């Protein structure tokens, strides 16, 4: 019996309806305004310089820089996946206009956009953002003489890192990835089958019965799991050594699985001693790894009610008067501590704009005689470091009130980029480098929207889209 066909419209079309639509884009659309106001030649020269600094040579086809820069800008303004970005640029007229593709049928695919963003990196997207902020200064929408700064944490999209969960994730990930490399690690998978089953049993026992057991009993379960992980590590090390010659012939997803196994093995070599230190002493080891897949992230003490610790990366945020933001990613946990970033922010500002701000505000964590002296030496006239305890402010009157106001507004800017619209916090990134790109892209989208809103208000135009 054949399946019944879905009925069509009873009023048939006399001529086939064309699938190429003709539509006029509103001149007041936000993406149209960005397209017409942006100096694309300058942006292309900036991006080309970034590419040349990172590529060994320029062999191959020249990239469609205009379209790819437009795609990055579009992703900054509207948080979406790479697949959704490709679909929007292919079918959404304002997005095609932004990317300069209205006269062609070609569209960059998701992989091309992702590769381009990875090539730019966090430092490349940061330069694009600095370009936008300088543009805002030229338009008199931002004032670089009045600056406030603060630090914040960018949370990673990882589960809470307890020791048992980390070890169980390692064992299950190794078991799954080892099967995907074919015969390369076949012997290891066969020998480690019993260990994988034992790990599942210990994890089940811990999850179902640990709440009713004493702390000593839970520690014994974690210690037994650590012994299983140690045996898996030892067998994996031998398997990797024996299979290193065959790994060169792997292709596509098998090559990716091989890299994942190596990365997990190296991470667990550092993590397992830290777990055993915690089991033995009850204290967290220094520089504790909190994620197997993003080992660069760390625990950040925030002291917030309901969230005393956040797991991710440290950032420094500088706010110019007018609301525009500049972001700096910390290379390690201690680089951008509050007391250090108080001076670092002014140095970065001086490097970007040629001179230090006249007035500068920071919270009490940066207040010290050394910092005040360093800021005065850099050329800051009004140092508005919030004093500790009963100490007095170094500014007064209207200057003090203005700096207190500017300092308070930094929190509003940080909250805006962490909202769901821009996605600074908990980005869908699987590496620290990708988290850096997501952070700078969120700030870029925030600044672009603020710049367009300012230009539209000045011209008494109501933006759509």
């Amino acid at each position: 019996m054949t399946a019944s066909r879905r009925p069509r419209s009873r009023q048939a079309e006399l001529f086939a309806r064309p699938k190429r639509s003709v539509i006029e884009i509103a001149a007041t659309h936000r993406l149209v305004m960005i397209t017409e106001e942006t100096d694309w030649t300058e942006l292309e020269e900036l991006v080309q310089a970034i590419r040349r600094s990172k590529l060994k040579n320029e062999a191959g086809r020249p990239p469609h820089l205009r379209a790819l820069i437009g795609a990055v800008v579009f992703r900054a303004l509207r948080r979406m996946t790479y697949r959704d970005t490709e679909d929007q640029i292919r079918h959404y007229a304002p997005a095609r206009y932004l990317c300069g593709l209205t006269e062609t049928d070609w569209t960059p695919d998701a992989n091309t956009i992702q590769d381009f963003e990875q090539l730019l990196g966090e430092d490349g997207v940061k330069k694009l953002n600095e370009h936008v902020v300088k543009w805002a200064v030229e338009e008199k929408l931002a004032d670089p003489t009045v600056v406030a700064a603060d630090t914040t944490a960018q949370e990673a999209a990882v589960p809470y890192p307890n020791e048992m969960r980390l070890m169980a994730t390692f064992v299950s990930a190794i078991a799954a990835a080892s099967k995907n490399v074919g015969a390369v690690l076949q012997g290891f998978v066969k020998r480690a089958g019993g260990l994988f089953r034992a790990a599942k049993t210990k994890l089940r026992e811990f999850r179902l019965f640990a709440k009713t057991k004493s702390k000593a009993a839970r520690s014994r379960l974690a210690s037994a799991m650590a012994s299983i992980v140690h045996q898996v590590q030892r067998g994996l090390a031998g398997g990797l050594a024996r299979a290193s010659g065959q790994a060169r012939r792997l292709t596509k997803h098998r090559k990716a699985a091989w890299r994942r196994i190596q990365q997990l093995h190296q991470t667990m070599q550092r993590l397992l001693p830290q777990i055993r230190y915690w089991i033995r002493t009850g204290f967290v080891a220094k520089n504790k790894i909190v994620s197997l897949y993003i080992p660069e992230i760390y625990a950040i003490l925030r002291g917030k009610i309901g969230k005393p610790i956040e797991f991710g990366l440290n950032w420094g945020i500088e706010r110019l008067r007018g609301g525009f933001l500049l972001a700096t990613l910390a290379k390690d946990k201690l680089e951008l501590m509050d007391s250090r970033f108080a001076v670092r922010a002014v140095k970065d500002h001086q490097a970007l704009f040629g001179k230090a701000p006249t007035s500068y505000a920071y919270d009490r964590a940066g207040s010290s005689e050394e910092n005040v002296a360093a800021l005065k030496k850099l050329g800051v006239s009004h140092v508005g470091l919030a004093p500790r305890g009963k100490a007095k402010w170094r500014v007064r009157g209207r200057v003090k009130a203005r700096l207190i106001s500017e300092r308070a507004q930094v929190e509003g800017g940080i909250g805006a980029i962490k909202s769901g619209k821009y996605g600074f916090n908990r980005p869908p990134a699987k590496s620290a480098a990708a988290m850096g790109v997501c952070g700078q892209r969120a700030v870029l989208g925030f600044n672009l929207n603020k710049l367009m809103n300012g230009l539209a208000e000045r011209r008494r135009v109501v933006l759509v889209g």
Side-chain angles (χ1 to χ4, degrees), residues 22-263:
V22 179
I23 184 172
E24 182 179 354
I25 307 171
T28 56
H29 197 284
R30 184 178 300 273
L31 299 184
V32 172
M33 188 171 187
I34 291 175
T35 306
E36 294 179 350
E37 295 293 332
T38 301
D39 185 344
W40 293 102
T41 303
E42 187 174 350
L43 272 186
E44 287 183 29
E45 290 174 352
L46 175 62
V47 170
Q48 191 66 272
I50 296 170
R51 289 185 69 255
R52 286 172 179 163
S53 67
K54 296 185 177 184
L55 294 176
K56 294 181 180 179
N57 58 63
E58 294 192 53
R61 294 181 179 179
H64 298 80
L65 285 184
R66 173 68 177 80
L68 292 172
I69 296 171
V72 172
V73 170
F74 186 58
R75 275 175 54 77
L77 295 168
R78 305 192 179 187
R79 185 185 183 189
M80 60 181 66
T81 65
Y82 290 107
R83 294 293 178 191
D84 288 341
T85 304
E86 176 189 349
D87 184 66
Q88 287 284 298
I89 295 174
R90 188 181 300 277
H91 302 293
Y92 183 46
R96 292 195 69 78
Y97 189 78
L98 175 67
C99 296
L101 297 174
T102 51
E103 303 297 327
T104 177
D105 292 332
W106 180 83
T107 300
D109 61 22
N111 292 334
T112 303
I113 299 171
Q114 183 177 11
D115 291 344
F116 181 68
E117 278 197 2
Q118 288 179 348
L119 177 63
L120 287 180
E122 183 268 334
D123 55 333
V125 182
K126 181 180 181 180
K127 289 180 180 178
L128 294 180
N129 187 48
E130 290 173 349
H131 171 82
V132 172
V133 174
K134 287 181 178 179
W135 178 10
V137 171
E138 292 175 4
E139 295 287 348
K140 307 298 182 184
L141 295 172
D143 182 4
T145 64
V146 181
V147 170
D150 196 7
T151 59
T152 191
Q154 180 190 28
E155 284 189 272
V158 297
Y160 193 87
N162 68 54
E163 278 66 19
M164 203 68 175
R165 179 180 290 161
L166 288 170
M167 290 188 288
T169 300
F170 169 77
V171 173
S172 60
I174 289 296
S178 298
K179 295 176 182 178
N180 289 334
V181 293
V184 178
L185 291 178
Q186 193 172 10
F188 162 73
V189 173
K190 190 179 295 184
R191 289 189 297 271
L195 295 174
F196 294 151
R197 289 189 292 272
K200 286 184 180 180
T201 302
K202 292 296 180 185
L203 178 63
R204 182 174 180 274
E205 186 178 354
F206 184 85
R207 285 178 172 172
L208 295 180
F209 309 114
K211 290 183 179 179
T212 61
K213 294 180 180 292
S214 64
K215 183 178 179 181
R218 292 196 298 271
S219 296
R220 283 195 295 272
L221 281 173
S223 181
M225 188 69 157
S227 299
I228 294 172
V229 170
H230 176 71
Q231 295 178 59
V232 172
Q233 274 283 85
R234 189 169 55 186
L236 181 60
L240 289 173
R242 287 190 293 272
S244 58
Q246 304 174 42
R248 297 174 184 174
R249 297 194 294 270
L250 296 176
T251 59
K252 297 182 180 179
H253 69 280
R254 297 193 176 195
K255 185 182 292 185
W258 174 263
R259 287 197 299 266
R260 191 179 306 118
I261 291 171
Q262 287 184 311
Q263 184 259 322

Side-chain angles (χ1 to χ4, degrees), residues 254-359:
R254 297 193 176 195
K255 185 182 292 185
W258 174 263
R259 287 197 299 266
R260 191 179 306 118
I261 291 171
Q262 287 184 311
Q263 184 259 322
L264 289 170
H265 175 62
Q266 293 169 3
T267 302
M268 186 51 73
Q269 282 182 324
R270 296 162 49 202
L271 177 59
L272 192 57
Q274 295 176 342
I275 292 174
R276 284 183 162 163
Y277 176 81
W278 176 80
I279 294 171
R280 187 174 65 254
T281 66
F283 294 99
V284 177
K286 185 178 180 181
N287 298 323
K288 172 76 186 318
I289 293 174
V290 297
S291 172
L292 285 170
Y293 295 103
I294 317 178
E296 297 89 350
I297 65 174
Y298 38 80
I300 305 168
L301 299 176
R302 304 300 295 173
K304 297 179 181 178
I305 297 175
K307 192 188 285 187
I309 301 176
E310 295 176 349
F311 302 99
L313 301 173
N314 248 332
W315 287 74
I317 304 294
E318 178 189 345
R319 180 184 184 276
L320 279 64
R321 188 178 188 182
F324 292 84
L325 304 179
L326 291 165
T328 303
L329 175 61
K331 295 179 181 178
D332 56 63
K333 185 177 181 178
L334 302 178
E335 184 187 16
L336 294 184
M337 293 175 61
D338 281 332
S339 56
R340 295 179 181 176
F341 188 64
V343 178
R344 165 75 180 274
V346 175
K347 290 181 178 178
D348 291 346
H349 184 92
Q350 192 176 42
L352 183 61
F353 294 102
K355 60 180 180 180
T358 304
S359 302

